[in-house]
Amino acid sequence: MSCQQTLTVNLSDNRSYPIYIGQDLLNDASYLRPHIKGQQVCIVTNTTIAPLYLDALISLLGDYHVDSVLLPDGESYKSLETMNSIYNCLLENTHNRTTTLIALGGGVVGDMCGYAAATYQRGVNFIQIPTTLLSQVDSSVGGKTGVNHPLGKNMIGAFHQPQAVIIDTNVLKTLPARELSAGLSEVVKYGLLGDKKFYHWIEENIESLIALDESVLTEAIARSCQNKADIVALDEREGGVRALLNLGHTFGHAIEAAQGYGVWLHGEAVSVGMVIALELSALMGKISHDEVDRLCRLLKKADLPTSSPNNMTAKQFLQLMSLDKKVLDGRLRLILLDAIGQAVVRDDASMSNIVQAIASHTAK
Ligand SMILES: NC(=O)c1ccc[n+]([C@@H]2O[C@H](COP(=O)([O-])OP(=O)(O)OC[C@H]3O[C@@H](n4cnc5c(N)ncnc54)[C@H](O)[C@@H]3O)[C@@H](O)[C@H]2O)c1
Ligand SMILES: [Zn+2]
């Protein structure tokens, strides 16, 4: 069983870390064990993933002291209240500062485990084993950790980088198809924002991706992670270029918020958000309208939505978008395209163009 790809996230102060991507890595201790420094390990997972993969992971850790925390499943549990169950487990079992936390799950588990690692005794090591496509190509890489607050999503958190990210593509076989599509939305995003060649490659391979073709999937995950790793290496704390990763997200967050979190999956909302962002870029004369149609065709092949719900008005979008963290000094800062594969931050889109871009991609 060999690893098919290893990438590195290059960071200062000896914090660089590897991303291993391949089939069956969850059955191979050689990726995991070199990244565990002490004798104690705490696995954080949830009640859906534990029956599928927890035993396999524990069996790689035979001679360590291993505790596991099973969180309830769902974004609504990504809260400070739920965090306590992780801290309780660590304290009750006297985990010390050399303990290693392991996140086994999707983005919710990864963000919470990461935040526990960032805060427990002022910071301990952690390893990401992401099990959704979204977490494999996005949330497990880059060190953003945290939880939601009733007044805002991801509003409580910390930057804390993992020791390693171990991506086993096999786990995607049990992932619901809708979650797979939601992850593909972020894969498409990397092509659009910074990698035109990759975007065209996705267009050519979308059927194989949906069918979970092993080599195509590994390639898509690796190229996505490479794009994210390059951006994180340039701008770890989102002072500049990292904001480009939010392509489609300001519009998408408005859809998520309006529908109630969990009704639309994040990747579904981002899918429509990217369509609106490209439409706006076309209205501003930066790309052709054919590119918007082309993106819609690709997203449809990935079983993703391309229009916002018909109960949402442009006014509602604008209200929700001005609550979004991408607003600076009252001006709407949006990620738009200068060309396919070339995203930019702009604050000069006219209100009439924004309204038109939203309206032309609302379900009738
Ligand atoms: N930290 C970051 O940089 C970053 C980036 C993007 C998103 N996020 C966060 O990620 C979260 C979304 O993550 P997600 O899309 O992975 O959702 P998720 O973690 O809720 O997982 C989706 C569902 O799939 C289940 N699941 C996970 N792996 C499975 C598998 N292999 N087989 C069967 N079922 C499986 C989960 O239990 C859950 O029900 C959000 O909270 C978002 O804020 C963080
Ligand atoms: Zn996203």
Side-chain angles (χ1 to χ4, degrees):
M1 256 159 283
S2 67
C3 174
Q4 281 140 4
Q5 301 233 23
T6 302
L7 312 174
T8 307
V9 183
N10 287 305
L11 297 171
S12 58
D13 305 324
N14 285 325
R15 293 173 309 127
S16 297
Y17 56 92
I19 306 172
Y20 307 109
I21 306 154
Q23 210 172 1
D24 251 351
L25 304 198
L26 202 47
N27 289 317
D28 188 335
S30 65
Y31 297 103
L32 181 65
R33 293 176 67 108
H35 300 286
I36 301 174
K37 299 284 177 268
Q39 281 310 306
Q40 298 169 309
V41 172
C42 178
I43 301 170
V44 179
T45 185
N46 76 20
T47 49
T48 305
I49 297 150
L52 298 167
Y53 304 112
L54 182 57
D55 285 351
L57 179 56
I58 290 175
S59 71
L60 303 184
L61 296 166
D63 41 346
Y64 290 94
H65 170 100
V66 182
D67 292 300
S68 308
V69 185
L70 271 61
L71 304 175
D73 189 359
E75 181 77 33
S76 60
Y77 297 103
K78 190 178 158 184
S79 64
L80 282 174
E81 262 179 323
T82 315
M83 286 298 299
N84 261 332
S85 58
I86 308 177
Y87 298 133
N88 288 345
C89 174
L90 291 167
L91 288 166
E92 281 163 9
N93 295 291
T94 58
H95 282 250
N96 60 39
R97 294 201 59 199
T98 65
T99 189
T100 300
L101 273 55
I102 301 179
L104 175 69
V108 169
V109 164
D111 281 11
M112 292 178 74
C113 177
Y115 189 53
T119 48
Y120 184 66
Q121 300 201 12
R122 299 187 188 80
V124 297
N125 285 349
F126 87 115
I127 294 167
Q128 289 272 17
I129 305 186
T131 62
T132 61
L133 181 59
L134 182 133
S135 57
Q136 294 182 343
V137 299
D138 191 354
S139 60
S140 66
V141 175
K144 279 193 187 177
T145 74
V147 294
N148 302 327
H149 183 277
L151 296 179
K153 200 166 179 270
N154 294 326
M155 282 294 142
I156 314 294
F159 284 96
H160 189 61
Q161 300 288 347
Q163 301 302 301
V165 181
I166 301 172
I167 300 177
D168 183 341
T169 53
N170 261 355
V171 302
L172 299 177
K173 289 181 182 147
T174 56
L175 188 68
R178 194 175 159 202
E179 296 286 351
L180 184 83
S181 291
L184 284 174
S185 178
E186 304 278 0
V187 172
V188 170
K189 181 190 78 176
Y190 291 114
L192 285 175
L193 77 87
D195 192 343
K196 184 176 168 182
K197 269 193 189 156
F198 182 39
Y199 182 63
H200 292 153
W201 181 91
I202 301 165
E203 288 185 310
E204 281 157 27
N205 290 284
I206 189 67
E207 282 89 4
S208 310
L209 284 168
I210 288 282
L212 296 180
D213 176 296
E214 183 54 35
S215 62
V216 175
L217 204 52
T218 302
E219 180 72 12
I221 294 168
R223 288 171 81 164
S224 298
C225 288
Q226 186 69 62
N227 273 288
K228 178 142 188 192
D230 289 348
I231 290 175
V232 168
L234 287 172
D235 176 21
E236 190 182 349
R237 292 188 170 238
E238 200 166 319
V241 69
R242 188 164 178 173
L244 301 180
L245 293 170
N246 292 319
L247 176 67
H249 281 58
T250 301
F251 297 107
H253 287 156
I255 298 176
E256 285 183 276
Q259 303 307 303
Y261 287 106
V263 178
W264 275 55
L265 296 180
H266 172 74
E268 293 170 341
V270 167
S271 171
V272 176
M274 292 190 296
V275 173
I276 298 173
L278 261 69
E279 180 69 42
L280 185 52
S281 307
L283 289 170
M284 293 170 79
K286 301 293 179 188
I287 60 169
S288 77
H289 271 99
D290 287 349
E291 293 293 359
V292 185
D293 297 339
R294 197 166 160 175
L295 172 64
C296 288
R297 284 197 297 277
L298 173 61
L299 295 171
K300 280 179 183 147
K301 282 187 195 165
D303 288 327
L304 285 163
T306 55
S307 3
S308 55
N310 62 6
N311 61 358
M312 265 190 91
T313 60
K315 192 175 163 202
Q316 194 181 7
F317 260 98
L318 288 168
Q319 272 166 356
L320 290 162
M321 282 161 60
S322 54
L323 298 175
D324 189 277
K325 63 186 171 189
K326 261 72 78 183
V327 176
L328 222 59
D329 305 328
R331 299 199 68 149
L332 206 46
R333 281 158 56 87
L334 293 168
I335 319 300
L336 300 174
L337 294 195
D338 271 348
I340 296 296
Q342 206 181 319
V344 282
V345 183
R346 303 186 76 106
D347 63 2
D348 61 346
S350 71
M351 206 39 82
S352 65
N353 275 342
I354 295 175
V355 169
Q356 191 182 334
I358 292 168
S360 43
H361 296 281
T362 300
K364 299 292 176 287

